[in-house]
Amino acid sequence: CGPPCWRNIIPGETVWQDAITIIEDDATLTDPDIRTAEDSTVQGVLWGEEGGDDCCQMYTEDSETVDVIILQTAPDSTLGQVIDEYGDPLYVIGESFTDDQGVFSLFYPEQQMVIYAFVEGENASLSESSEVIGFGYFSRTRMDLLLVTNDLHIWEGYDTLANYLGGEFEVTPSVTLTPSAESEEEYALRK
């Protein structure tokens, strides 16, 4: 299946317990570590590839339906390959982790998908050969929430992390949510 579907789990559609069973029954994955927030319907689960570290997570807000899947991947794909398949992203944000490492989050709202691409340093450019190191699939509701609660740049093509970090945001939050306006669990998941 394709975005936003992963191993027949579709955020916004797949029943939470069915998704857990899919992960549990897959011999290539480690047993899921299910975490539940006290006095809340919010649940999360962590797992990894058999023999590897935890790399993947999934969340539900209501304990009934999957809302979010986040997967860290080995850099087997490039951003150019993603763009060839899905077209240009609509929005992008970048984050510098160290002097020589940064990550771009590239938003594909129609596919309910965010791609995470690695760049080396603030002056390094995002390019066709930038390694894809992860992706997130979101329910339509969660994707819509991401788009109204984050500062975003409109995709203007390959550019440096410094230029994207230094520019004015074209899209800014239309709703300011804080822990007092939503549950602490929802706020933690959103951050």
Side-chain angles (χ1 to χ4, degrees):
C1 59
C5 176
W6 178 80
R7 298 192 187 201
N8 295 318
I9 301 171
I10 303 171
E13 294 180 23
T14 304
V15 173
W16 177 253
Q17 195 53 53
D18 292 347
I20 297 296
T21 300
I22 290 169
I23 295 166
E24 288 173 334
D25 290 348
D26 190 326
T28 67
L29 304 177
T30 59
D31 288 333
D33 177 13
I34 301 169
R35 299 177 182 190
T36 303
E38 286 187 39
D39 300 324
S40 173
T41 59
V42 176
Q43 292 187 52
V45 60
L46 301 170
W47 72 91
E49 295 280 330
E50 188 62 45
D53 295 330
D54 285 346
C55 63
C56 309
Q57 50 194 313
M58 186 170 61
Y59 296 98
T60 177
E61 301 245 352
D62 61 9
S63 294
E64 294 179 18
T65 307
V66 173
D67 286 300
V68 178
I69 302 170
I70 304 286
L71 304 164
Q72 295 172 329
T73 61
D76 295 331
S77 300
T78 65
L79 183 54
Q81 291 169 320
V82 171
I83 289 176
D84 284 347
E85 187 164 347
Y86 300 105
D88 288 337
L90 189 56
Y91 303 112
V92 59
I93 53 176
E95 184 174 354
S96 179
F97 290 112
T98 67
D99 289 341
D100 61 352
Q101 293 184 351
V103 171
F104 277 95
S105 300
L106 300 117
F107 289 72
Y108 286 84
E110 288 304 311
Q111 289 86 5
Q112 298 166 231
M113 172 174 72
V114 176
I115 298 294
Y116 306 102
F118 175 78
V119 294
E120 293 183 29
E122 281 194 30
N123 294 318
S125 288
L126 192 60
S127 70
E128 289 182 0
S129 62
S130 295
E131 297 172 329
V132 172
I133 59 169
F135 55 92
Y137 293 156
F138 300 85
S139 67
R140 173 58 49 209
T141 302
R142 295 303 294 171
M143 177 57 75
D144 291 347
L145 184 61
L146 281 174
L147 298 177
V148 298
T149 58
N150 284 284
D151 290 318
L152 302 169
H153 293 288
I154 293 174
W155 170 256
E156 294 181 4
Y158 299 115
D159 203 347
T160 64
L161 183 58
N163 283 346
Y164 272 115
L165 287 175
E168 293 288 322
F169 292 106
E170 292 84 13
V171 178
T172 56
S174 60
V175 179
T176 302
L177 299 176
T178 63
S180 62
E182 62 185 352
S183 76
E184 288 184 24
E185 292 86 3
E186 290 171 331
Y187 181 75
L189 287 175
R190 189 170 55 77
K191 291 312 235 180

